[in-house]
């Protein structure tokens, strides 16, 4: 049972985000493993463990050769990683990102399952996993809140607006997982030490046999025409609770006639 | 410059009616295009009257595919129709589970970009969509530059649905195509979570709880207060991830977008992920221990205090009325 997990390394969401003059997201500081992806990594480790053998391979794309987020996932227990790093990737959109990841999955070896988060915490398009499935010509089940594998079939509870759907697909398949599908482990000290020597293969767009014209600004097929501050919402009255502040809330609700 | 024709996804609810988000997008589609048609991965006749009333003249329907996943099949059917010469200028969908899947599969089939999470669209100079970034503090406008059709998804409540009184839409077939290995996933069973009271994204009052509640059991206070105000209970991502309440309660970027008359945030600090889903509320009340919590920056009434003290008193006071 081999599982490929797509992971993204992002600027720490706790820091205020900022844009470069070319409207790309500033990624100068240390990048971390997107928390959303830790669920996919954990899910993959558990599925491989349950199957009694196999390995977890990470696939990632980052403009500046960044590996610190990958090391976190390797420390959790993934065996190896393929990182696509190339200046040509600047300005990539969802579709060209999926094309790059599809080519990188081809470098990851034989696989039974591809896992991804439903969306990244910085770009959150929520379309890359399904686009990746289309490019790899795989059946896919997105937005999984539970994943099980038995007899060459992946069984998934897929999140819906009203509840969930029970779905299944024959392997190989792609599944995108929601946060909360499993509880991600913290890397152990041993895991962190072991991760330092695990293989990370760094490749360029050309190494993947892709034309630089189909990725990044050149291939995204979109042009940012304006970035402006959104109209701000004014803060209202803020008071310290003196034991009677509930009356303020009652009066406020009364004024809005919702009582 | 109005567009000649757009296609809007008519997403179906478990009951088979048209989802509110599709009607919202129809209202905008009428404004930007001469001809508006819908497509659906289901029965067309059942929704022809509703979408007609909202301005669509045609329903392209696959017929029943309830045992399959929508994305791959509807995406392939749309691509085949477009390649067959019936191309619209734009394909508009909701940023929903199936909406994103259909848009994604279609984008690969046509090799065209898809732009998601939009809150507006403008066609005065090319097709330009607006997207909120950094927790809704900035708005990015992006132009489609790869030729048509433009594929775009919109967040719930970006537009206001409005009936035009149009006649029932003509029903036409959206022919399914063999999706091969990629089409092999099956949908076996649907589970609809029973909820009482108004729906989270339709309620006039929403009371949400966050990590500040301290423990799962304290969410009872949120449920009780919501019920007393004839509203719906909601939650921050933190307590959904912690397993205190189901995902269907989540308000925020990855959850529901709400715009109630009153939003009460109890024990929620106001992570950007949460604020994106509720900052459109008409009135916001926030209760939080931390005076520096970002939620106070957008609250109309902020109470710096302990939710365990303020909420019980508030509930008692409302009971006494």
């Amino acid at each position: 049972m081999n599982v490929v997990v797509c992971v993204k390394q992002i600027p720490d969401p706790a820091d205020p985000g900022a844009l470069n003059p070319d409207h790309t997201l500033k990624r100068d500081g240390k990048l971390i493993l997107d928390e959303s992806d830790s669920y996919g990594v954990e899910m993959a480790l558990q599925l491989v463990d349950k199957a009694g053998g196999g390995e977890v391979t990470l696939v990632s794309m980052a403009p500046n050769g960044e590996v610190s987020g990958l090391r976190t996932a390797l420390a959790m227990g993934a065996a190896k990683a393929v990182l696509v790093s190339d200046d040509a990737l600047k300005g990539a959109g969802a579709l060209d990102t999926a094309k790059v990841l599809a080519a990188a999955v081809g470098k990851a070896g034989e696989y039974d399952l591809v896992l991804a988060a439903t969306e990244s915490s910085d770009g959150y398009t929520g379309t890359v996993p399904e686009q990746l499935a289309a490019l790899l010509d795989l059946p896919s089940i997105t937005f999984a809140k539970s994943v099980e594998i038995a007899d060459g079939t992946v069984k998934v509870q897929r999140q819906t607006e009203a509840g969930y759907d029970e779905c299944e697909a024959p392997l190989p398949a792609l599944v995108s997982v929601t946060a909360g599908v499993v509880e991600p482990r913290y890397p152990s000290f041993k895991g962190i030490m072991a991760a330092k020597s695990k293989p990370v293969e760094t490749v360029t767009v050309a190494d993947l046999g892709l034309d630089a014209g189909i990725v990044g600004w050149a291939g995204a097929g979109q042009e940012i025409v304006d970035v402006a501050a959104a109209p701000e919402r004014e803060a209202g009255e803020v008071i310290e609770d003196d034991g009677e502040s509930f009356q303020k809330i009652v009066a406020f609700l009364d004024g809005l006639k919702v009582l | 410059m109005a567009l000649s024709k757009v296609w809007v996804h008519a997403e179906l609810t478990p009951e088979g009616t048209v989802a509110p988000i599709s009607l919202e997008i129809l209202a905008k589609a009428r404004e930007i295009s001469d001809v508006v048609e819908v497509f659906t991965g289901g029965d067309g006749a059942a929704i022809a009257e509703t979408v007609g009333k909202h301005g669509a003249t045609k329903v392209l329907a696959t017929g029943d595919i309830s045992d399959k996943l929508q994305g791959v099949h509807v995406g392939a059917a749309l691509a085949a129709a477009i390649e067959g010469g019936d191309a619209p200028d734009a394909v508009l969908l909701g940023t929903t589970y199936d909406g994103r899947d259909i848009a994604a599969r279609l984008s690969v089939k046509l090799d065209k970009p898809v732009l998601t999470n939009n809150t507006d669209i403008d066609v005065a100079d090319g097709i330009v969509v607006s997207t909120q970034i950094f927790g809704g503090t900035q708005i990015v406008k992006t132009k489609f530059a790869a030729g048509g059709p433009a594929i775009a998804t919109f967040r719930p409540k970006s537009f206001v649905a409005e009936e035009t009184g149009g006649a029932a839409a003509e029903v036409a077939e959206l022919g399914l195509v063999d999706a091969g290995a990629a089409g092999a996933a099956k949908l076996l069973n649907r589970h609809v979570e029973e909820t009482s009271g108004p729906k989270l994204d339709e309620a006039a009052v929403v009371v949400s709880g966050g990590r500040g509640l301290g423990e799962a059991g304290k969410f009872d206070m949120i449920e009780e207060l919501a019920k007393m105000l004839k509203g719906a209970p909601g939650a921050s991502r933190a307590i959904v991830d912690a397993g205190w309440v189901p995902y269907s309660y989540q308000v925020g970027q990855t959850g529901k977008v709400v715009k109630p008359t009153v939003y009460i945030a109890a024990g929620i600090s106001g992570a950007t992920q949460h604020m994106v889903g509720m900052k459109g509320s008409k009135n916001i009340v926030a209760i939080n221990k931390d005076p520096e919590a970002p939620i106070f920056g957008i609250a109309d009434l902020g109470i710096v205090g302990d939710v365990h003290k303020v909420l019980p008193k508030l509930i008692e006071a409302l009971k006494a009325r």
Side-chain angles (χ1 to χ4, degrees):
Chain A
M1 176 83 197
N2 291 323
V3 184
V4 173
V5 188
C6 301
V7 296
K8 188 168 182 182
Q9 305 173 88
I10 62 169
D12 192 333
D15 300 333
L19 297 179
N20 291 310
D22 67 354
H23 303 316
T24 55
L25 184 65
K26 265 197 199 296
R27 297 172 191 276
D28 313 343
K30 186 184 166 201
L31 301 181
I32 62 168
L33 177 67
D34 188 340
E35 193 199 337
S36 306
D37 290 325
S38 61
Y39 299 94
V41 174
E42 179 65 39
M43 190 78 247
L45 292 169
Q46 289 187 16
L47 290 172
V48 166
D49 198 36
K50 211 165 182 182
E55 61 182 23
V56 175
T57 304
L58 309 169
V59 165
S60 189
M61 168 175 137
N64 54 356
E66 180 66 59
V67 293
S68 54
L70 288 177
R71 292 288 174 210
T72 303
L74 291 167
M76 286 173 73
K80 62 185 199 292
V82 178
L83 172 66
V84 189
S85 200
D86 200 313
D87 272 348
L89 295 171
K90 259 193 190 149
L95 179 58
D96 48 317
T97 297
K99 287 177 182 173
V100 171
L101 291 177
V105 167
K107 288 241 168 207
E110 292 285 312
Y111 60 85
D112 303 287
L113 183 68
V114 179
L115 289 180
T118 57
E119 60 188 9
S120 63
S121 302
D122 58 348
Y124 64 94
T125 66
T127 56
V128 172
E130 186 75 355
Q131 288 171 318
L132 179 58
L135 290 159
L136 296 171
D137 199 24
L138 291 176
S140 58
I141 306 174
T142 49
F143 306 101
K145 50 180 249 161
S146 154
V147 183
E148 282 176 37
I149 288 182
D151 307 324
T153 301
V154 58
K155 290 178 187 293
V156 168
Q157 289 182 358
R158 178 177 185 260
Q159 187 70 52
T160 63
E161 310 292 337
Y164 66 90
D165 290 345
E166 266 174 56
C167 302
E168 65 174 38
L171 299 179
L174 179 142
V175 173
S176 77
V177 297
T178 59
V181 68
V182 281
E183 188 60 40
R185 72 193 67 184
Y186 286 103
S188 64
F189 179 70
K190 205 174 136 197
I192 292 167
M193 295 312 288
K196 292 184 178 174
S197 56
K198 286 180 176 174
V200 176
E201 184 186 359
T202 302
V203 296
T204 63
V205 169
D207 293 338
L208 293 173
L210 295 175
D211 176 353
I214 67 153
V215 300
W217 286 122
Q222 51 193 279
E223 180 194 335
I224 293 173
V225 291
D226 186 45
V227 179
E232 273 196 55
R233 209 190 152 102
E234 296 280 317
E237 188 187 5
V238 178
I239 58 164
E240 191 95 27
D241 179 39
D242 57 359
E244 299 298 316
S245 66
F246 69 93
Q247 291 181 354
K248 272 270 189 195
I249 302 177
V250 174
F252 186 79
L253 297 177
D254 229 359
L256 297 170
K257 300 193 168 51
V258 295
L259 296 182
Chain B
M1 177 205 84
L3 304 178
S4 303
K5 180 166 80 175
V6 301
W7 284 352
V8 175
H9 180 214
E11 184 153 354
L12 304 179
T13 64
E15 297 79 38
T17 58
V18 182
I21 188 167
S22 301
L23 300 179
E24 292 161 17
I25 297 170
L26 272 173
K28 186 67 185 183
R30 287 199 313 268
E31 199 184 303
I32 59 168
S33 177
D34 295 335
V35 175
V36 176
E37 300 175 351
V38 302
F39 62 92
T40 194
D43 181 15
I47 61 165
E49 200 175 315
T50 304
V51 299
K53 261 187 207 158
H54 287 263
T57 51
K58 197 192 263 188
V59 185
L60 299 159
T62 60
D64 182 31
I65 52 167
S66 57
D67 60 339
K68 298 181 171 74
L69 279 97
Q70 294 269 318
V72 63
H73 296 285
V74 177
L78 288 174
I82 288 166
E83 280 157 3
D86 190 17
D89 298 309
V91 180
L92 313 179
L93 312 91
T95 301
T96 58
Y97 303 109
D98 285 342
R100 275 177 285 191
D101 279 3
I102 294 169
R105 287 275 177 177
L106 179 62
S107 101
V108 171
K109 286 274 182 195
L110 300 179
D111 197 23
K112 299 286 181 195
V114 52
L115 294 173
T116 51
N117 286 312
N118 303 298
T119 53
D120 206 357
I121 181 167
D122 183 271
V123 296
D125 177 21
I127 301 177
V128 176
V129 288
S130 300
T131 319
Q132 299 183 356
I133 58 165
F134 299 144
T137 55
Q138 291 187 47
I139 295 172
V140 177
K141 292 189 176 177
T142 311
K143 188 192 271 193
F144 284 90
I151 309 168
T153 78
F154 295 85
R155 289 177 68 77
K157 303 217 167 54
S158 294
F159 314 112
V160 179
E162 199 183 352
E163 290 190 11
T164 58
E170 173 201 344
V171 179
E173 192 193 359
L174 180 61
L176 290 166
V177 293
D178 183 5
K186 283 186 273 197
L187 197 162
L188 308 173
N189 258 312
R190 314 209 80 166
H191 291 259
V192 176
E193 280 162 9
E194 296 297 333
T195 49
S196 57
K199 285 187 179 162
L200 179 53
D201 49 1
E202 293 168 13
V205 178
V206 172
V207 184
S208 284
R211 189 72 88 176
L213 290 171
E215 54 179 299
K218 299 288 184 198
F219 195 79
D220 290 352
M221 292 194 296
I222 301 295
E223 303 254 17
E224 189 178 2
L225 183 57
K227 200 170 172 190
M228 293 176 82
L229 296 170
K230 298 188 180 61
S236 70
R237 176 171 167 176
I239 71 167
V240 172
D241 286 355
W244 295 4
V245 293
Y247 177 77
S248 56
Y249 282 51
Q250 188 171 319
V251 173
Q253 184 171 292
T254 48
K256 299 262 188 335
V257 176
V258 300
K259 288 189 176 178
T261 307
V262 187
Y263 188 88
I264 303 178
I268 292 176
S269 62
T272 53
Q273 129 88 297
H274 185 74
M275 307 245 264
V276 171
M278 46 66 75
K279 67 189 292 179
S281 303
K282 290 179 195 74
N283 297 278
I284 297 171
V285 178
I287 309 161
N288 201 293
K289 268 198 301 206
D290 177 10
E292 302 295 319
I295 192 84
F296 289 127
I298 64 162
D300 299 285
L301 174 61
I303 308 287
V304 180
D306 186 349
V307 288
H308 303 101
K309 291 187 179 140
V310 179
L311 284 185
K313 282 186 183 166
L314 177 60
I315 289 168
E316 283 310 312
L318 292 175
K319 266 187 195 160
R321 283 170 70 95

